[in-house]
PDB file of all heavy atoms in Angstrom:
ATOM      1  N   GLN K 323       0.849  -1.198   0.006  1.00  0.00           N
ATOM      2  CA  GLN K 323       0.010   0.038   0.074  1.00  0.00           C
ATOM      3  C   GLN K 323       0.929   1.204  -0.039  1.00  0.00           C
ATOM      4  O   GLN K 323       0.499   2.269  -0.679  1.00  0.00           O
ATOM      5  CB  GLN K 323      -0.883  -0.041   1.161  1.00  0.00           C
ATOM      6  CG  GLN K 323      -2.133  -1.001   1.057  1.00  0.00           C
ATOM      7  CD  GLN K 323      -2.839  -1.180   2.396  1.00  0.00           C
ATOM      8  OE1 GLN K 323      -2.552  -0.570   3.463  1.00  0.00           O
ATOM      9  NE2 GLN K 323      -3.881  -1.898   2.296  1.00  0.00           N
ATOM     10  N   GLU K 324       1.942   1.295   0.874  1.00  0.00           N
ATOM     11  CA  GLU K 324       2.775   2.345   0.809  1.00  0.00           C
ATOM     12  C   GLU K 324       3.501   2.617  -0.544  1.00  0.00           C
ATOM     13  O   GLU K 324       3.686   3.753  -1.025  1.00  0.00           O
ATOM     14  CB  GLU K 324       3.964   2.216   1.869  1.00  0.00           C
ATOM     15  CG  GLU K 324       3.460   2.342   3.261  1.00  0.00           C
ATOM     16  CD  GLU K 324       2.909   3.668   3.690  1.00  0.00           C
ATOM     17  OE1 GLU K 324       3.430   4.670   3.172  1.00  0.00           O
ATOM     18  OE2 GLU K 324       1.886   3.762   4.408  1.00  0.00           O
ATOM     19  N   ALA K 325       3.910   1.446  -1.149  1.00  0.00           N
ATOM     20  CA  ALA K 325       4.485   1.555  -2.530  1.00  0.00           C
ATOM     21  C   ALA K 325       3.460   2.144  -3.570  1.00  0.00           C
ATOM     22  O   ALA K 325       3.889   3.046  -4.381  1.00  0.00           O
ATOM     23  CB  ALA K 325       4.965   0.164  -2.995  1.00  0.00           C
ATOM     24  N   GLU K 326       2.259   1.731  -3.413  1.00  0.00           N
ATOM     25  CA  GLU K 326       1.262   2.285  -4.418  1.00  0.00           C
ATOM     26  C   GLU K 326       0.978   3.758  -4.096  1.00  0.00           C
ATOM     27  O   GLU K 326       0.782   4.515  -5.102  1.00  0.00           O
ATOM     28  CB  GLU K 326      -0.124   1.478  -4.156  1.00  0.00           C
ATOM     29  CG  GLU K 326      -0.071   0.115  -4.701  1.00  0.00           C
ATOM     30  CD  GLU K 326       0.041   0.074  -6.232  1.00  0.00           C
ATOM     31  OE1 GLU K 326      -0.554   0.898  -6.940  1.00  0.00           O
ATOM     32  OE2 GLU K 326       0.730  -0.814  -6.719  1.00  0.00           O
ATOM     33  N   ARG K 327       0.976   4.100  -2.864  1.00  0.00           N
ATOM     34  CA  ARG K 327       0.817   5.472  -2.507  1.00  0.00           C
ATOM     35  C   ARG K 327       1.992   6.361  -3.012  1.00  0.00           C
ATOM     36  O   ARG K 327       1.803   7.392  -3.648  1.00  0.00           O
ATOM     37  CB  ARG K 327       0.732   5.726  -0.979  1.00  0.00           C
ATOM     38  CG  ARG K 327       0.437   7.127  -0.617  1.00  0.00           C
ATOM     39  CD  ARG K 327       0.402   7.399   0.848  1.00  0.00           C
ATOM     40  NE  ARG K 327      -0.550   6.561   1.518  1.00  0.00           N
ATOM     41  CZ  ARG K 327      -0.487   6.072   2.793  1.00  0.00           C
ATOM     42  NH1 ARG K 327       0.518   6.414   3.438  1.00  0.00           N
ATOM     43  NH2 ARG K 327      -1.421   5.341   3.234  1.00  0.00           N
ATOM     44  N   ALA K 328       3.210   5.898  -2.872  1.00  0.00           N
ATOM     45  CA  ALA K 328       4.337   6.540  -3.356  1.00  0.00           C
ATOM     46  C   ALA K 328       4.274   6.642  -4.912  1.00  0.00           C
ATOM     47  O   ALA K 328       4.698   7.727  -5.466  1.00  0.00           O
ATOM     48  CB  ALA K 328       5.686   5.887  -2.962  1.00  0.00           C
ATOM     49  N   LYS K 329       3.920   5.620  -5.545  1.00  0.00           N
ATOM     50  CA  LYS K 329       3.771   5.577  -7.065  1.00  0.00           C
ATOM     51  C   LYS K 329       2.780   6.692  -7.481  1.00  0.00           C
ATOM     52  O   LYS K 329       2.935   7.361  -8.363  1.00  0.00           O
ATOM     53  CB  LYS K 329       3.296   4.189  -7.481  1.00  0.00           C
ATOM     54  CG  LYS K 329       3.227   4.034  -8.959  1.00  0.00           C
ATOM     55  CD  LYS K 329       2.850   2.660  -9.324  1.00  0.00           C
ATOM     56  CE  LYS K 329       2.527   2.456 -10.815  1.00  0.00           C
ATOM     57  NZ  LYS K 329       2.121   1.129 -11.119  1.00  0.00           N
ATOM     58  N   PHE K 330       1.649   6.697  -6.737  1.00  0.00           N
ATOM     59  CA  PHE K 330       0.532   7.661  -7.078  1.00  0.00           C
ATOM     60  C   PHE K 330       1.087   9.137  -6.879  1.00  0.00           C
ATOM     61  O   PHE K 330       0.870   9.998  -7.663  1.00  0.00           O
ATOM     62  CB  PHE K 330      -0.621   7.482  -6.087  1.00  0.00           C
ATOM     63  CG  PHE K 330      -1.663   8.563  -6.233  1.00  0.00           C
ATOM     64  CD1 PHE K 330      -2.518   8.644  -7.267  1.00  0.00           C
ATOM     65  CD2 PHE K 330      -1.805   9.530  -5.258  1.00  0.00           C
ATOM     66  CE1 PHE K 330      -3.506   9.582  -7.424  1.00  0.00           C
ATOM     67  CE2 PHE K 330      -2.699  10.596  -5.263  1.00  0.00           C
ATOM     68  CZ  PHE K 330      -3.584  10.534  -6.405  1.00  0.00           C
ATOM     69  N   ILE K 331       1.869   9.319  -5.753  1.00  0.00           N
ATOM     70  CA  ILE K 331       2.410  10.687  -5.546  1.00  0.00           C
ATOM     71  C   ILE K 331       3.409  11.067  -6.686  1.00  0.00           C
ATOM     72  O   ILE K 331       3.365  12.285  -7.080  1.00  0.00           O
ATOM     73  CB  ILE K 331       3.124  10.738  -4.105  1.00  0.00           C
ATOM     74  CG1 ILE K 331       2.036  10.667  -3.036  1.00  0.00           C
ATOM     75  CG2 ILE K 331       3.971  12.042  -3.972  1.00  0.00           C
ATOM     76  CD1 ILE K 331       2.606  10.477  -1.559  1.00  0.00           C
ATOM     77  N   VAL K 332       4.200  10.133  -7.046  1.00  0.00           N
ATOM     78  CA  VAL K 332       5.166  10.455  -8.130  1.00  0.00           C
ATOM     79  C   VAL K 332       4.369  10.789  -9.471  1.00  0.00           C
ATOM     80  O   VAL K 332       4.761  11.695 -10.152  1.00  0.00           O
ATOM     81  CB  VAL K 332       6.092   9.247  -8.420  1.00  0.00           C
ATOM     82  CG1 VAL K 332       6.910   9.387  -9.688  1.00  0.00           C
ATOM     83  CG2 VAL K 332       7.099   9.130  -7.194  1.00  0.00           C
ATOM     84  N   GLU K 333       3.397  10.013  -9.750  1.00  0.00           N
ATOM     85  CA  GLU K 333       2.553  10.240 -10.938  1.00  0.00           C
ATOM     86  C   GLU K 333       1.886  11.590 -10.903  1.00  0.00           C
ATOM     87  O   GLU K 333       1.836  12.253 -11.898  1.00  0.00           O
ATOM     88  CB  GLU K 333       1.481   9.082 -11.136  1.00  0.00           C
ATOM     89  CG  GLU K 333       2.183   7.758 -11.614  1.00  0.00           C
ATOM     90  CD  GLU K 333       1.111   6.653 -11.715  1.00  0.00           C
ATOM     91  OE1 GLU K 333      -0.101   6.935 -11.541  1.00  0.00           O
ATOM     92  OE2 GLU K 333       1.543   5.461 -12.017  1.00  0.00           O
ATOM     93  N   LYS K 334       1.270  11.896  -9.707  1.00  0.00           N
ATOM     94  CA  LYS K 334       0.659  13.159  -9.585  1.00  0.00           C
ATOM     95  C   LYS K 334       1.671  14.362  -9.716  1.00  0.00           C
ATOM     96  O   LYS K 334       1.362  15.304 -10.375  1.00  0.00           O
ATOM     97  CB  LYS K 334       0.006  13.203  -8.193  1.00  0.00           C
ATOM     98  CG  LYS K 334      -0.839  14.556  -8.013  1.00  0.00           C
ATOM     99  CD  LYS K 334      -1.457  14.502  -6.538  1.00  0.00           C
ATOM    100  CE  LYS K 334      -2.250  15.677  -6.313  1.00  0.00           C
ATOM    101  NZ  LYS K 334      -1.618  16.966  -6.416  1.00  0.00           N
ATOM    102  N   ALA K 335       2.845  14.203  -9.203  1.00  0.00           N
ATOM    103  CA  ALA K 335       3.914  15.160  -9.368  1.00  0.00           C
ATOM    104  C   ALA K 335       4.353  15.432 -10.761  1.00  0.00           C
ATOM    105  O   ALA K 335       4.410  16.521 -11.311  1.00  0.00           O
ATOM    106  CB  ALA K 335       5.110  14.893  -8.458  1.00  0.00           C
ATOM    107  N   GLN K 336       4.417  14.283 -11.513  1.00  0.00           N
ATOM    108  CA  GLN K 336       4.665  14.404 -12.885  1.00  0.00           C
ATOM    109  C   GLN K 336       3.625  15.035 -13.746  1.00  0.00           C
ATOM    110  O   GLN K 336       3.834  15.828 -14.616  1.00  0.00           O
ATOM    111  CB  GLN K 336       4.965  12.931 -13.488  1.00  0.00           C
ATOM    112  CG  GLN K 336       6.240  12.319 -13.062  1.00  0.00           C
ATOM    113  CD  GLN K 336       6.523  10.930 -13.443  1.00  0.00           C
ATOM    114  OE1 GLN K 336       5.527  10.258 -13.878  1.00  0.00           O
ATOM    115  NE2 GLN K 336       7.619  10.421 -13.406  1.00  0.00           N
ATOM    116  N   GLN K 337       2.363  14.699 -13.355  1.00  0.00           N
ATOM    117  CA  GLN K 337       1.172  15.309 -14.063  1.00  0.00           C
ATOM    118  C   GLN K 337       1.125  16.796 -13.751  1.00  0.00           C
ATOM    119  O   GLN K 337       0.878  17.648 -14.630  1.00  0.00           O
ATOM    120  CB  GLN K 337      -0.097  14.643 -13.710  1.00  0.00           C
ATOM    121  CG  GLN K 337      -0.229  13.266 -14.280  1.00  0.00           C
ATOM    122  CD  GLN K 337      -1.443  12.574 -13.799  1.00  0.00           C
ATOM    123  OE1 GLN K 337      -2.257  13.116 -12.991  1.00  0.00           O
ATOM    124  NE2 GLN K 337      -1.690  11.451 -14.337  1.00  0.00           N
ATOM    125  N   ASP K 338       1.384  17.160 -12.463  1.00  0.00           N
ATOM    126  CA  ASP K 338       1.479  18.579 -12.076  1.00  0.00           C
ATOM    127  C   ASP K 338       2.552  19.305 -12.870  1.00  0.00           C
ATOM    128  O   ASP K 338       2.352  20.561 -13.328  1.00  0.00           O
ATOM    129  CB  ASP K 338       1.702  18.763 -10.574  1.00  0.00           C
ATOM    130  CG  ASP K 338       0.425  18.321  -9.705  1.00  0.00           C
ATOM    131  OD1 ASP K 338      -0.627  18.223 -10.329  1.00  0.00           O
ATOM    132  OD2 ASP K 338       0.638  18.158  -8.514  1.00  0.00           O
ATOM    133  N   LYS K 339       3.712  18.689 -13.013  1.00  0.00           N
ATOM    134  CA  LYS K 339       4.785  19.322 -13.796  1.00  0.00           C
ATOM    135  C   LYS K 339       4.424  19.551 -15.157  1.00  0.00           C
ATOM    136  O   LYS K 339       4.667  20.665 -15.676  1.00  0.00           O
ATOM    137  CB  LYS K 339       6.104  18.319 -13.630  1.00  0.00           C
ATOM    138  CG  LYS K 339       7.233  18.811 -14.404  1.00  0.00           C
ATOM    139  CD  LYS K 339       8.342  17.793 -14.333  1.00  0.00           C
ATOM    140  CE  LYS K 339       9.380  18.065 -15.332  1.00  0.00           C
ATOM    141  NZ  LYS K 339      10.452  17.025 -15.285  1.00  0.00           N
ATOM    142  N   ARG K 340       3.786  18.529 -15.791  1.00  0.00           N
ATOM    143  CA  ARG K 340       3.295  18.639 -17.164  1.00  0.00           C
ATOM    144  C   ARG K 340       2.347  19.726 -17.293  1.00  0.00           C
ATOM    145  O   ARG K 340       2.303  20.542 -18.325  1.00  0.00           O
ATOM    146  CB  ARG K 340       2.800  17.302 -17.714  1.00  0.00           C
ATOM    147  CG  ARG K 340       3.883  16.386 -18.139  1.00  0.00           C
ATOM    148  CD  ARG K 340       3.258  15.121 -18.774  1.00  0.00           C
ATOM    149  NE  ARG K 340       3.604  14.099 -17.862  1.00  0.00           N
ATOM    150  CZ  ARG K 340       2.827  13.076 -17.493  1.00  0.00           C
ATOM    151  NH1 ARG K 340       1.737  12.972 -18.037  1.00  0.00           N
ATOM    152  NH2 ARG K 340       3.246  12.175 -16.630  1.00  0.00           N
ATOM    153  N   SER K 341       1.415  19.793 -16.343  1.00  0.00           N
ATOM    154  CA  SER K 341       0.445  20.880 -16.386  1.00  0.00           C
ATOM    155  C   SER K 341       1.067  22.317 -16.254  1.00  0.00           C
ATOM    156  O   SER K 341       0.627  23.173 -17.052  1.00  0.00           O
ATOM    157  CB  SER K 341      -0.547  20.715 -15.128  1.00  0.00           C
ATOM    158  OG  SER K 341      -1.452  21.710 -15.033  1.00  0.00           O
ATOM    159  N   ILE K 342       2.020  22.454 -15.410  1.00  0.00           N
ATOM    160  CA  ILE K 342       2.700  23.755 -15.293  1.00  0.00           C
ATOM    161  C   ILE K 342       3.348  24.104 -16.531  1.00  0.00           C
ATOM    162  O   ILE K 342       3.413  25.227 -17.026  1.00  0.00           O
ATOM    163  CB  ILE K 342       3.603  23.707 -14.151  1.00  0.00           C
ATOM    164  CG1 ILE K 342       2.818  23.613 -12.769  1.00  0.00           C
ATOM    165  CG2 ILE K 342       4.573  24.841 -14.109  1.00  0.00           C
ATOM    166  CD1 ILE K 342       3.707  23.300 -11.546  1.00  0.00           C
ATOM    167  N   ILE K 343       4.044  23.050 -17.177  1.00  0.00           N
ATOM    168  CA  ILE K 343       4.772  23.399 -18.412  1.00  0.00           C
ATOM    169  C   ILE K 343       3.844  23.748 -19.545  1.00  0.00           C
ATOM    170  O   ILE K 343       4.095  24.760 -20.245  1.00  0.00           O
ATOM    171  CB  ILE K 343       5.668  22.114 -18.832  1.00  0.00           C
ATOM    172  CG1 ILE K 343       6.791  21.866 -17.858  1.00  0.00           C
ATOM    173  CG2 ILE K 343       6.115  22.269 -20.220  1.00  0.00           C
ATOM    174  CD1 ILE K 343       7.568  20.610 -17.937  1.00  0.00           C
ATOM    175  N   ILE K 344       2.758  23.069 -19.646  1.00  0.00           N
ATOM    176  CA  ILE K 344       1.772  23.397 -20.610  1.00  0.00           C
ATOM    177  C   ILE K 344       1.126  24.733 -20.413  1.00  0.00           C
ATOM    178  O   ILE K 344       0.993  25.521 -21.413  1.00  0.00           O
ATOM    179  CB  ILE K 344       0.628  22.286 -20.740  1.00  0.00           C
ATOM    180  CG1 ILE K 344       1.284  20.963 -21.296  1.00  0.00           C
ATOM    181  CG2 ILE K 344      -0.485  22.717 -21.544  1.00  0.00           C
ATOM    182  CD1 ILE K 344       0.380  19.774 -21.100  1.00  0.00           C
ATOM    183  N   LYS K 345       0.852  25.078 -19.155  1.00  0.00           N
ATOM    184  CA  LYS K 345       0.280  26.335 -18.919  1.00  0.00           C
ATOM    185  C   LYS K 345       1.291  27.448 -19.231  1.00  0.00           C
ATOM    186  O   LYS K 345       0.991  28.483 -19.782  1.00  0.00           O
ATOM    187  CB  LYS K 345      -0.083  26.418 -17.355  1.00  0.00           C
ATOM    188  CG  LYS K 345      -0.830  27.745 -17.083  1.00  0.00           C
ATOM    189  CD  LYS K 345      -1.193  27.832 -15.591  1.00  0.00           C
ATOM    190  CE  LYS K 345      -1.868  29.012 -15.116  1.00  0.00           C
ATOM    191  NZ  LYS K 345      -1.302  30.321 -15.526  1.00  0.00           N
ATOM    192  N   ALA K 346       2.557  27.265 -18.870  1.00  0.00           N
ATOM    193  CA  ALA K 346       3.597  28.278 -19.102  1.00  0.00           C
ATOM    194  C   ALA K 346       3.768  28.508 -20.681  1.00  0.00           C
ATOM    195  O   ALA K 346       3.894  29.585 -21.145  1.00  0.00           O
ATOM    196  CB  ALA K 346       4.907  27.860 -18.497  1.00  0.00           C
ATOM    197  N   GLU K 347       3.719  27.349 -21.378  1.00  0.00           N
ATOM    198  CA  GLU K 347       3.810  27.438 -22.881  1.00  0.00           C
ATOM    199  C   GLU K 347       2.647  28.178 -23.358  1.00  0.00           C
ATOM    200  O   GLU K 347       2.760  29.064 -24.376  1.00  0.00           O
ATOM    201  CB  GLU K 347       3.901  26.018 -23.480  1.00  0.00           C
ATOM    202  CG  GLU K 347       5.250  25.285 -23.261  1.00  0.00           C
ATOM    203  CD  GLU K 347       5.189  23.874 -23.664  1.00  0.00           C
ATOM    204  OE1 GLU K 347       4.198  23.268 -23.996  1.00  0.00           O
ATOM    205  OE2 GLU K 347       6.384  23.323 -23.681  1.00  0.00           O
ATOM    206  N   GLY K 348       1.421  27.846 -22.848  1.00  0.00           N
ATOM    207  CA  GLY K 348       0.229  28.645 -23.331  1.00  0.00           C
ATOM    208  C   GLY K 348       0.291  30.102 -23.071  1.00  0.00           C
ATOM    209  O   GLY K 348      -0.005  30.947 -23.844  1.00  0.00           O
ATOM    210  N   ASP K 349       0.828  30.440 -21.805  1.00  0.00           N
ATOM    211  CA  ASP K 349       0.996  31.917 -21.418  1.00  0.00           C
ATOM    212  C   ASP K 349       1.974  32.587 -22.330  1.00  0.00           C
ATOM    213  O   ASP K 349       1.726  33.739 -22.734  1.00  0.00           O
ATOM    214  CB  ASP K 349       1.372  31.979 -19.980  1.00  0.00           C
ATOM    215  CG  ASP K 349       0.290  31.597 -19.032  1.00  0.00           C
ATOM    216  OD1 ASP K 349      -0.888  31.493 -19.474  1.00  0.00           O
ATOM    217  OD2 ASP K 349       0.641  31.409 -17.733  1.00  0.00           O
ATOM    218  N   ALA K 350       3.022  31.819 -22.599  1.00  0.00           N
ATOM    219  CA  ALA K 350       4.098  32.443 -23.523  1.00  0.00           C
ATOM    220  C   ALA K 350       3.468  32.648 -24.995  1.00  0.00           C
ATOM    221  O   ALA K 350       3.754  33.743 -25.609  1.00  0.00           O
ATOM    222  CB  ALA K 350       5.356  31.544 -23.557  1.00  0.00           C
ATOM    223  N   GLN K 351       2.723  31.642 -25.420  1.00  0.00           N
ATOM    224  CA  GLN K 351       2.202  31.752 -26.743  1.00  0.00           C
ATOM    225  C   GLN K 351       1.143  32.883 -26.781  1.00  0.00           C
ATOM    226  O   GLN K 351       1.150  33.736 -27.691  1.00  0.00           O
ATOM    227  CB  GLN K 351       1.492  30.478 -27.133  1.00  0.00           C
ATOM    228  CG  GLN K 351       0.941  30.423 -28.478  1.00  0.00           C
ATOM    229  CD  GLN K 351       2.052  30.380 -29.578  1.00  0.00           C
ATOM    230  OE1 GLN K 351       3.167  30.114 -29.290  1.00  0.00           O
ATOM    231  NE2 GLN K 351       1.622  30.817 -30.770  1.00  0.00           N
ATOM    232  N   SER K 352       0.411  33.046 -25.661  1.00  0.00           N
ATOM    233  CA  SER K 352      -0.649  34.118 -25.607  1.00  0.00           C
ATOM    234  C   SER K 352       0.026  35.488 -25.561  1.00  0.00           C
ATOM    235  O   SER K 352      -0.347  36.443 -26.297  1.00  0.00           O
ATOM    236  CB  SER K 352      -1.464  33.964 -24.289  1.00  0.00           C
ATOM    237  OG  SER K 352      -2.337  34.973 -24.118  1.00  0.00           O
ATOM    238  N   ALA K 353       1.123  35.563 -24.770  1.00  0.00           N
ATOM    239  CA  ALA K 353       1.922  36.835 -24.739  1.00  0.00           C
ATOM    240  C   ALA K 353       2.519  37.139 -26.104  1.00  0.00           C
ATOM    241  O   ALA K 353       2.469  38.366 -26.444  1.00  0.00           O
ATOM    242  CB  ALA K 353       2.963  36.778 -23.704  1.00  0.00           C
ATOM    243  N   LYS K 354       3.020  36.160 -26.812  1.00  0.00           N
ATOM    244  CA  LYS K 354       3.532  36.399 -28.096  1.00  0.00           C
ATOM    245  C   LYS K 354       2.530  36.894 -29.087  1.00  0.00           C
ATOM    246  O   LYS K 354       2.723  37.854 -29.855  1.00  0.00           O
ATOM    247  CB  LYS K 354       4.237  35.103 -28.682  1.00  0.00           C
ATOM    248  CG  LYS K 354       4.971  35.291 -29.899  1.00  0.00           C
ATOM    249  CD  LYS K 354       5.617  34.127 -30.431  1.00  0.00           C
ATOM    250  CE  LYS K 354       6.334  34.172 -31.629  1.00  0.00           C
ATOM    251  NZ  LYS K 354       5.730  34.801 -32.818  1.00  0.00           N
ATOM    252  N   LEU K 355       1.360  36.273 -29.063  1.00  0.00           N
ATOM    253  CA  LEU K 355       0.229  36.630 -29.950  1.00  0.00           C
ATOM    254  C   LEU K 355      -0.253  38.003 -29.569  1.00  0.00           C
ATOM    255  O   LEU K 355      -0.544  38.839 -30.577  1.00  0.00           O
ATOM    256  CB  LEU K 355      -0.939  35.571 -29.820  1.00  0.00           C
ATOM    257  CG  LEU K 355      -0.669  34.255 -30.387  1.00  0.00           C
ATOM    258  CD1 LEU K 355      -1.867  33.291 -30.038  1.00  0.00           C
ATOM    259  CD2 LEU K 355      -0.509  34.318 -31.901  1.00  0.00           C
ATOM    260  N   ILE K 356      -0.418  38.358 -28.390  1.00  0.00           N
ATOM    261  CA  ILE K 356      -0.774  39.766 -27.994  1.00  0.00           C
ATOM    262  C   ILE K 356       0.317  40.702 -28.450  1.00  0.00           C
ATOM    263  O   ILE K 356      -0.043  41.785 -29.007  1.00  0.00           O
ATOM    264  CB  ILE K 356      -1.034  39.880 -26.441  1.00  0.00           C
ATOM    265  CG1 ILE K 356      -2.292  39.084 -26.106  1.00  0.00           C
ATOM    266  CG2 ILE K 356      -1.191  41.312 -26.033  1.00  0.00           C
ATOM    267  CD1 ILE K 356      -2.483  38.876 -24.662  1.00  0.00           C
ATOM    268  N   SER K 357       1.537  40.394 -28.243  1.00  0.00           N
ATOM    269  CA  SER K 357       2.659  41.275 -28.677  1.00  0.00           C
ATOM    270  C   SER K 357       2.642  41.480 -30.223  1.00  0.00           C
ATOM    271  O   SER K 357       2.717  42.619 -30.721  1.00  0.00           O
ATOM    272  CB  SER K 357       3.961  40.785 -28.224  1.00  0.00           C
ATOM    273  OG  SER K 357       5.029  41.420 -28.796  1.00  0.00           O
ATOM    274  N   ASP K 358       2.416  40.398 -30.911  1.00  0.00           N
ATOM    275  CA  ASP K 358       2.362  40.509 -32.452  1.00  0.00           C
ATOM    276  C   ASP K 358       1.134  41.307 -32.820  1.00  0.00           C
ATOM    277  O   ASP K 358       1.216  42.134 -33.728  1.00  0.00           O
ATOM    278  CB  ASP K 358       2.238  39.050 -33.042  1.00  0.00           C
ATOM    279  CG  ASP K 358       3.556  38.322 -32.908  1.00  0.00           C
ATOM    280  OD1 ASP K 358       4.565  38.923 -32.511  1.00  0.00           O
ATOM    281  OD2 ASP K 358       3.603  37.055 -33.149  1.00  0.00           O
ATOM    282  N   ALA K 359       0.006  41.114 -32.131  1.00  0.00           N
ATOM    283  CA  ALA K 359      -1.232  41.910 -32.468  1.00  0.00           C
ATOM    284  C   ALA K 359      -1.040  43.393 -32.153  1.00  0.00           C
ATOM    285  O   ALA K 359      -1.496  44.134 -32.994  1.00  0.00           O
ATOM    286  CB  ALA K 359      -2.390  41.385 -31.685  1.00  0.00           C
ATOM    287  N   ILE K 360      -0.367  43.678 -31.188  1.00  0.00           N
ATOM    288  CA  ILE K 360      -0.057  45.129 -30.853  1.00  0.00           C
ATOM    289  C   ILE K 360       0.827  45.719 -31.867  1.00  0.00           C
ATOM    290  O   ILE K 360       0.585  46.819 -32.297  1.00  0.00           O
ATOM    291  CB  ILE K 360       0.556  45.297 -29.393  1.00  0.00           C
ATOM    292  CG1 ILE K 360      -0.586  44.878 -28.397  1.00  0.00           C
ATOM    293  CG2 ILE K 360       0.988  46.734 -29.129  1.00  0.00           C
ATOM    294  CD1 ILE K 360       0.010  44.843 -26.969  1.00  0.00           C
ATOM    295  N   LYS K 361       1.921  44.986 -32.284  1.00  0.00           N
ATOM    296  CA  LYS K 361       2.873  45.477 -33.250  1.00  0.00           C
ATOM    297  C   LYS K 361       2.201  45.640 -34.633  1.00  0.00           C
ATOM    298  O   LYS K 361       2.420  46.685 -35.333  1.00  0.00           O
ATOM    299  CB  LYS K 361       3.997  44.505 -33.453  1.00  0.00           C
ATOM    300  CG  LYS K 361       4.986  44.541 -32.259  1.00  0.00           C
ATOM    301  CD  LYS K 361       6.082  43.525 -32.456  1.00  0.00           C
ATOM    302  CE  LYS K 361       7.000  43.452 -31.307  1.00  0.00           C
ATOM    303  NZ  LYS K 361       7.879  42.369 -31.431  1.00  0.00           N
ATOM    304  N   SER K 362       1.330  44.688 -35.021  1.00  0.00           N
ATOM    305  CA  SER K 362       0.772  44.768 -36.314  1.00  0.00           C
ATOM    306  C   SER K 362      -0.543  45.703 -36.401  1.00  0.00           C
ATOM    307  O   SER K 362      -0.736  46.187 -37.393  1.00  0.00           O
ATOM    308  CB  SER K 362       0.379  43.383 -36.861  1.00  0.00           C
ATOM    309  OG  SER K 362      -0.690  42.859 -36.019  1.00  0.00           O
TER     310      SER K 362
END
């Protein structure tokens, strides 16, 4: 049970990490699009 819990925590941390990366990429893309829109 402890091993399963540790496995779950690791998987959750990996999913959180992926979520943060995707959000940061989305924010960067959004900022780039806004910047391009302001320039053009």
Side-chain angles (χ1 to χ4, degrees):
Q323 290 172 353
E324 290 295 325
E326 287 295 320
R327 184 182 304 148
K329 183 179 173 184
F330 172 76
I331 290 170
V332 168
E333 287 176 7
K334 184 178 182 302
Q336 288 173 343
Q337 289 175 357
D338 289 347
K339 177 183 171 185
R340 277 184 247 142
S341 172
I342 290 169
I343 290 171
I344 290 169
K345 185 180 182 307
E347 288 172 351
D349 290 346
Q351 185 68 21
S352 173
K354 184 178 182 314
L355 290 173
I356 291 171
S357 173
D358 291 346
I360 291 172
K361 286 179 187 173
S362 65

